Amino acid sequence: NTRNIDKSLKMAHSYFLPLFLSLIVISSVSANFHRDVEITWGDGRGQITNNGELLTLSLDKSSGSGFQSKNEYLFGKIDMQMKLVPGNSAGTVTTLYLKSPGTTWDEIDFEFLGNLSGDPYTLHTNVYTQGKGDKEQQFKLWFDPTADFHTYTILWNPQRIIFTVDGTPIREFKNMESVGTLFPNNQPMRMYSSLWNADDWATRGGLVKTDWSKAPFTASYRGFNQEACVWSNGKSSCPNGSGQGTTGSWLSQELDSTAQERMRWVQKNYMIYNYCTDTKRFPQVISSVSANFHRDVEITWGDGRGQITNNGELLTLSLDKSSGSGFQSKNEYLFGKIDMQMKLVPGNSAGTVTTLYLKSPGTTWDEIDFEFLGNLSGDPYTLHTNVYTQGKGDKEQQFKLWFDPTADFHTYTILWNPQRIIFTVDGTPIREFKNMESVGTLFPNNQPMRMYSSLWNADDWATRGACVWSNGKSSCPNGSGQGTSGSWLSQELDSTAQERMRWVQKNYMIYNYCTDTKRFPQGLPKECLAA
């Protein structure tokens, strides 16, 4: 019911997860428009009243109006309570945004596109870096934004930008510079707001024009709050210049599982446009093919011990005293989701190792491993996982399996995207290795890898979507697939998958490097502490 929805939306404000708590010198002050902003245009149409607590902007046929913050910020959390133009607001646009000066500007946008009486506003969001945007997501709101004040928040830190409405996150734009996506992180920005006429495009593509008989149109503001690294005279008010590495909660803030669930609810029910799913606007070619071993792999060693049969549907590897055998994919990949159905060596497999892994060439290689360590008859296999970056591993986790992997085929999956690596067994995640470059942990994201395997049985191998690397180029747009609509490229674990993974790790994990204090007497790796 409505009361429960309102209650859950208010509770959502507490869902953000501060990674650490401490005190740093950051501007955080209560609202006073006389002190914090200046009205920059509108010839009197912008007014500050109520001892600096209320600001109004108005629009008539001659002009709109606008204001800007007196401070510049390099990262911050900016809150504004706004009550939008009521009634027939068609053709009007009310904005709240951060922007840097110059021709290669950075910008983070809320834009509220008016509509006819009774029809909902469109909330338009965008991110520009170095003058380049095209990152639009649009929403309808689940309330009337003209009936009362509502809080709109831009949280901008070195790792992500989060757009929230009344504490509910509606969008997260992560820092993906590691895969070549621009992110605004070095140009100080001011906060701006304006009310202006844009009836050539704002409402139904410009078909509905502004009804000037309803003018003046008025939007109201209060509760401006700035928790931010203020930029002044070439210096930041935060330690280390930008706040990078400090412990202020918003500077390291991310969405916890509850907040992510609320954001998915908003995006499922109220998102009306997402550039990431606009395949007409961004035509793309992502490799996604069914299994054919003749086409997809080559047996590289074993002197005949590897065989492809059943019209390319079945591949077997064998091991005897003289040699084992192995194969590799013909393609290289820079990110992908690789599935393999495998039936392991039955009976007494002690001393054998069956592998499925991704690896790049060279002495500073990247690698993502499944290794199945055989055992005596009746004793379970050990499933060993590891991640190497630039030739450095030491990220082992080991498991027993909850089934007999020799009795039938089971599906083992490596999902590798710019944000995380997920290891799954029969669709159940057993391990997640997140991109923690922000705390100094290496992550494989710039070396194309082939799929390899040795000593194994399989009747189905498929690349279910991958960015194939060939002649120095990726088959995905922007090199890495960032911004495409392949679900695996932005896939993460929802709350149900996280619960399943916790069940596996509680009941079947037998080794975790993140808890091995004897091995790391000087302190556990950074990603273990930040996870």
Side-chain angles (χ1 to χ4, degrees), residues 46-58:
Q47 297 288 331
I48 298 174
T49 57
N50 288 24
N51 295 315
E53 294 183 0
L54 181 69
L55 189 152
T56 57
L57 295 180
S58 65

Side-chain angles (χ1 to χ4, degrees), residues 111-340:
E111 294 183 342
F112 303 87
L113 314 184
N115 215 330
L116 297 170
S117 298
D119 290 340
Y121 270 76
T122 294
L123 172 50
H124 176 97
T125 66
N126 205 350
V127 177
Y128 289 79
T129 312
Q130 298 176 25
K132 298 176 182 178
D134 298 332
K135 312 293 186 193
E136 304 93 340
Q137 289 184 358
Q138 293 183 338
F139 305 82
K140 300 298 184 185
L141 293 169
W142 51 94
F143 54 83
D144 178 0
T146 73
D148 203 349
F149 286 91
H150 293 270
T151 302
Y152 304 91
T153 301
I154 295 171
L155 185 148
W156 169 41
N157 67 31
Q159 297 82 38
R160 56 187 47 82
I161 297 163
I162 301 172
F163 299 79
T164 70
V165 177
D166 288 339
T168 293
I170 65 170
R171 177 180 184 181
E172 180 180 27
F173 185 82
K174 292 183 178 179
N175 184 334
M176 302 298 296
E177 290 180 303
S178 60
V179 298
T181 298
L182 298 175
F183 185 86
N185 59 18
N186 57 20
Q187 297 194 68
M189 297 196 257
R190 293 187 191 274
M191 183 277 297
Y192 295 86
S193 186
S194 59
L195 173 59
W196 54 294
N197 179 49
D199 65 4
D200 56 336
W201 63 270
T203 306
R204 300 182 188 177
L207 295 177
V208 180
K209 301 300 183 182
T210 304
D211 182 357
W212 292 111
S213 69
K214 306 296 184 183
F217 303 99
T218 301
S220 301
Y221 302 77
R222 71 182 188 191
F224 173 42
N225 185 57
Q226 46 183 328
E227 296 179 65
C229 299
V230 174
W231 190 264
S232 180
N233 298 319
K235 294 183 180 180
S236 171
S237 64
C238 294
N240 303 323
S242 69
Q244 183 71 15
T246 69
T247 54
S249 62
W250 62 264
L251 270 168
S252 56
Q253 193 166 319
E254 59 183 34
L255 300 179
D256 67 11
S257 59
T258 308
Q260 289 172 351
E261 186 175 346
R262 290 301 297 166
M263 183 169 68
R264 284 192 291 271
W265 173 81
V266 171
Q267 293 181 348
K268 178 181 178 181
N269 292 283
Y270 296 98
M271 180 183 280
I272 57 175
Y273 177 79
N274 182 5
Y275 78 105
C276 279
T277 60
D278 194 340
T279 55
K280 292 182 179 179
R281 182 180 176 193
F282 302 105
Q284 59 205 294
V285 179
I286 296 182
S287 172
S288 182
V289 293
S290 58
N292 185 300
F293 286 112
H294 285 305
R295 178 193 62 215
D296 298 330
V297 308
E298 54 187 351
I299 296 173
T300 49
W301 64 284
D303 194 23
R305 292 173 178 82
Q307 297 288 333
I308 299 174
T309 58
N310 287 24
N311 296 315
E313 294 183 358
L314 179 69
L315 189 152
T316 59
L317 295 180
S318 64
L319 165 70
D320 57 33
K321 197 170 184 179
S322 299
S323 177
S325 47
F327 66 92
Q328 68 182 43
S329 64
K330 293 180 179 178
N331 285 325
E332 290 183 294
Y333 315 105
L334 188 59
F335 307 118
K337 182 184 178 188
I338 307 299
D339 296 317
M340 187 75 78

Side-chain angles (χ1 to χ4, degrees), residues 445-495:
N445 57 21
N446 57 20
Q447 297 195 70
M449 297 195 256
R450 293 186 192 275
M451 184 279 298
Y452 295 86
S453 186
S454 56
L455 184 59
W456 68 320
N457 293 333
D459 73 348
D460 187 14
W461 180 75
T463 305
R464 291 200 177 172
C467 298
V468 175
W469 190 267
S470 180
N471 297 319
K473 295 182 179 180
S474 171
S475 64
C476 297
N478 302 325
S480 68
Q482 182 69 14
T484 72
S485 59
S487 61
W488 57 266
L489 268 167
S490 56
Q491 189 168 325
E492 58 186 37
L493 298 179
D494 63 16
S495 57

Side-chain angles (χ1 to χ4, degrees), residues 516-529:
D516 194 341
T517 53
K518 292 183 179 179
R519 183 180 176 191
F520 301 104
Q522 303 304 316
L524 294 171
K526 293 179 181 178
E527 69 272 14
C528 301
L529 303 174

